[in-house]
Amino acid sequence: MTGVTGRARRTGGAACVALAAAVVPAACAAPGPAGGPDDGRLQVVATTGILADLARNVAGDSADLTQIVPDGADPHSYEPTLRDVRDVVYADVALSNYLLLEEHAVVKMLDANLPEHATNVSLAEAATKYAAEVIPLVENLNLDTVWLGLRVSGTGQDLGATRASEVRLSATSIDGPGDLSGFLTETFGNPRAYFDSSDGIQAGDRDSVTLPVDAHTHMSWGFTEPGVYRLELAAELLADGPGAPVQLGRESFTFAVGVDPHGVAADLAADLGDGTDVEVLDAGHADLTVRLDDRDLVIQADAIGDPGEGDPGEGDPDHEGDPDHEGDPDAVGHPHSASLDPARTVISVPAKALAPVPAGRGFGFLGRAGDPVHLLPQAVLGKHVHGEIDPHLWHDVRNAKAYVQVIRDTLTAADPEGAGEYHANAGRYLTLLDETDAYVAETIAEIPRTRRYLVTTHDAFAYLGRAYDVEIAGFVAPNPATEPSVADRVRLTRTIRSLDVPAVFLEPSVAARSQVLAEVAAENEVAVCPIWSDAFDDRVTTYVDLMRANADSLRRCLTPERSTP
């Protein structure tokens, strides 16, 4: 982090900037607009509307504040524009949440284009100085097949990696009786294939995917014929600056598709000939993982065996902290994770994973619409790259207070002449946040404990649940490649009925693509009520509005005499 002395300012129109991936020649920014970088005020950029609102309450009139991700847009998938680059190149202070909340292109754009004098703050990490508490991102959808993603673990500092670095995973060979594809279905249902053997394996970016350092992404996997498949992946670190990529190794991963996985495991053990058992991975959340600090590839798995044997996401609370039950130290937030050797593991794709090829545009790599194909579901619809820590800290107001204190200190260091105003503004706002925290706690406490269950569409409310004693009962995660199965709907219906919840909650920004939740709610005669997570809209325009509106919505919809939206 680089501080600023006084009100240092970069002016003029000759500053060259690079947008996001920086794979094209740098673009040169035009001079800043009147009333912007040349008006004498501190120039501040914040990635999201929530961060911008917090900063605005501290800065007052002493800073000119620009928001990168527009209201109503999803910070997880927003792609920056040249206008955003122009705003960043004149900034004195940049505020991001990080913990992989923002689309990685936004972080790369910030880090590549901020002037040398600017201060660049990752608020979620810096806020721990003021007692902000972070919690693991727990993902448990109780799927009846393996939920298989990709992951990069470790920091890679010894290899020169920074938060703007990426790791590229490339398919070097795919063998099997049919075609194998690893793909992602984006928010509006459009597929994007990363690995696809239907047209041959291509060198370069054709059959590859890049991930930020210490990140995870969900994936869908398709297999056109039953049998045994082997996917070889090679990994390399794309660090900032000049120099060749750092090679991180390669491994072959074995899939048993529609055939007995234990028989495949026995054959593999016989081929190895060293007496070592071969594991069958057939349930839970698992990732094909690049370990940066070890420079190798493994399978990081949260559960092995029958999904009924335990909770693959949260682990057994009776053993938390017990060294006899600790797994891979890289598996932050997953106390029962294990790092499995790909050479001694078979990933099961059972016969029940057979489904028709979707009729939607772009699924031709899987076959003709309606043809049978074995699918491992992506589980969470949309581009969803994240880290091990839940980044939505602000749903606990006490964490938002820590953000405000970091912002106050940052603006004061960048502009000592404005210190008095920043401290006074922050003091008043912290008082308002104390009042907001009390309001949220008191409002939610009015909900009977037996009704205090949150069923929603987005796994973003763990901080709300922990801070205000709300049980996160589940969230909707349809198979992105097909219509949700009968089993998917049965599980959601069972949750609603067994907990006797009077309402489920839907973010207004995703209402158009969350039909399953609305349909199941209608079938069970429960209300659908609003809840806000990452973004503002025309009804909720400030952070205080967001927290109060969520508390009001929970009380109104979960309290028996108030159970109408």
Side-chain angles (χ1 to χ4, degrees):
M1 184 184 302
T2 304
V4 181
T5 302
R7 295 177 182 261
R9 185 77 62 245
R10 171 185 261 192
T11 58
C16 284
V17 297
L19 176 59
V23 295
V24 296
C28 290
D38 297 323
D39 71 354
R41 293 187 298 166
L42 198 68
Q43 300 297 304
V44 181
V45 294
T47 53
T48 72
I50 291 171
L51 301 187
D53 183 58
L54 299 181
R56 194 173 290 112
N57 278 278
V58 177
D61 295 329
S62 293
D64 182 60
L65 199 141
T66 302
Q67 172 183 330
I68 293 175
V69 181
D71 290 344
D74 182 358
H76 299 288
S77 59
Y78 176 77
E79 294 285 347
T81 66
L82 287 173
R83 175 63 180 266
D84 296 325
V85 174
R86 188 188 68 176
D87 292 332
V88 168
V89 81
Y90 288 108
D92 302 307
V93 173
L95 304 172
S96 59
N97 187 82
Y98 201 50
L99 292 184
L100 295 174
L101 172 82
E102 297 92 350
E103 160 63 40
H104 193 52
V106 173
V107 171
K108 292 183 69 176
M109 183 270 293
L110 278 177
D111 292 0
N113 296 299
L114 280 171
E116 292 183 2
H117 75 268
T119 304
N120 192 1
V121 180
S122 301
L123 285 170
E125 297 170 348
T128 57
K129 172 184 177 181
Y130 287 103
E133 297 184 9
V134 296
I135 58 179
L137 183 63
V138 175
E139 300 178 288
N140 173 24
L141 302 185
N142 293 321
L143 295 177
D144 53 5
T145 60
V146 176
W147 176 9
L148 188 67
L150 302 175
R151 182 180 300 273
V152 175
S153 70
T155 65
Q157 291 181 349
D158 292 344
L159 302 176
T162 69
R163 75 170 193 169
S165 300
E166 294 179 311
V167 169
R168 180 163 57 204
L169 270 167
S170 301
T172 55
S173 70
I174 297 176
D175 297 315
D179 294 321
L180 180 156
S181 57
F183 62 100
L184 183 148
T185 303
E186 298 181 332
T187 303
F188 293 103
N190 299 317
R192 178 178 178 183
Y194 291 113
F195 314 127
D196 176 21
S197 64
S198 66
D199 58 355
I201 299 301
Q202 307 292 325
D205 294 334
R206 178 71 176 273
D207 284 287
S208 66
V209 59
T210 57
L211 285 177
V213 172
D214 202 23
H216 158 78
T217 187
H218 307 144
M219 293 279 285
S220 294
W221 301 84
F223 307 85
T224 61
E225 299 289 341
V228 179
Y229 291 75
R230 288 185 172 84
L231 165 66
E232 185 180 76
L233 294 178
E236 55 188 356
L237 172 66
L238 309 176
D240 289 347
V246 179
Q247 301 304 311
L248 301 171
R250 65 178 63 207
E251 285 287 350
S252 181
F253 300 87
T254 301
F255 297 82
V257 179
V259 296
D260 176 22
H262 299 283
V264 176
D267 291 342
L268 183 56
D271 291 341
L272 292 171
D274 58 6
T276 304
D277 289 339
V278 173
E279 299 277 6
V280 172
L281 181 63
D282 59 5
H285 182 183
D287 294 305
L288 310 185
T289 300
V290 181
R291 297 193 300 188
L292 271 177
D293 299 326
D294 295 294
R295 298 179 72 163
D296 64 4
L297 286 80
V298 300
I299 302 172
Q300 182 174 302
D302 294 341
I304 303 173
D306 189 326
E309 293 177 356
D311 179 343
E314 296 181 355
D316 181 355
D318 293 336
H319 295 298
E320 286 191 8
D322 182 348
D324 293 334
H325 291 81
E326 290 179 358
D328 182 354
D330 287 336
V332 179
H334 301 281
H336 292 274
S337 292
S339 291
L340 307 179
D341 182 354
R344 291 173 170 79
T345 305
V346 172
I347 302 167
S348 174
V349 185
K352 62 186 174 183
L354 196 64
V357 173
R361 180 182 302 175
F363 285 99
F365 60 90
L366 292 174
R368 294 180 301 178
D371 284 352
V373 63
H374 286 81
L375 289 173
L376 289 183
Q378 182 177 320
V380 174
L381 184 64
K383 191 174 181 181
H384 198 74
V385 176
H386 58 72
E388 296 283 8
I389 301 299
D390 189 334
H392 306 89
L393 277 72
W394 57 86
H395 287 296
D396 179 346
V397 177
R398 289 166 293 185
N399 284 343
K401 290 178 59 181
Y403 278 31
V404 167
Q405 293 174 88
V406 172
I407 293 169
R408 176 199 63 201
D409 296 349
T410 301
L411 299 187
T412 297
D415 176 22
E417 295 176 12
E421 182 174 356
Y422 301 139
H423 279 259
N425 290 342
R428 286 189 293 269
Y429 190 48
L430 289 170
T431 298
L432 176 60
L433 292 183
D434 282 332
E435 296 169 357
T436 302
D437 187 35
Y439 179 87
V440 173
E442 293 166 4
T443 301
I444 292 177
E446 294 180 18
I447 305 169
R449 188 65 190 85
T450 56
R451 293 291 189 97
R452 216 176 296 160
Y453 293 101
L454 177 60
V455 178
T456 185
T457 54
H458 187 184
D459 54 338
F461 297 97
Y463 291 96
L464 176 76
R466 185 184 65 171
Y468 306 107
D469 196 21
V470 176
E471 182 73 21
I472 309 302
F475 55 92
V476 176
N479 182 330
T482 63
E483 288 297 317
S485 68
V486 173
D488 294 330
R489 298 176 72 100
V490 166
R491 275 192 292 270
L492 182 58
T493 298
R494 186 181 298 127
T495 297
I496 291 172
R497 290 178 178 174
S498 63
L499 297 176
D500 193 27
V501 296
V504 296
F505 294 83
L506 180 60
E507 294 174 68
S509 62
V510 299
R513 57 183 189 269
S514 299
Q515 296 178 358
V516 173
L517 182 63
E519 290 172 1
V520 172
E523 291 167 3
N524 290 275
E525 298 182 343
V526 301
V528 178
C529 298
I531 194 166
W532 287 263
S533 172
D534 299 321
F536 299 146
D537 62 10
D538 56 354
R539 286 183 286 176
V540 167
T541 60
T542 71
Y543 169 71
V544 170
D545 286 348
L546 182 148
M547 293 303 298
R548 294 175 72 98
N550 283 350
D552 290 341
S553 186
L554 288 166
R555 178 179 61 180
R556 180 174 64 251
C557 296
L558 296 180
T559 304
E561 62 272 18
R562 301 172 182 264
S563 57
T564 57

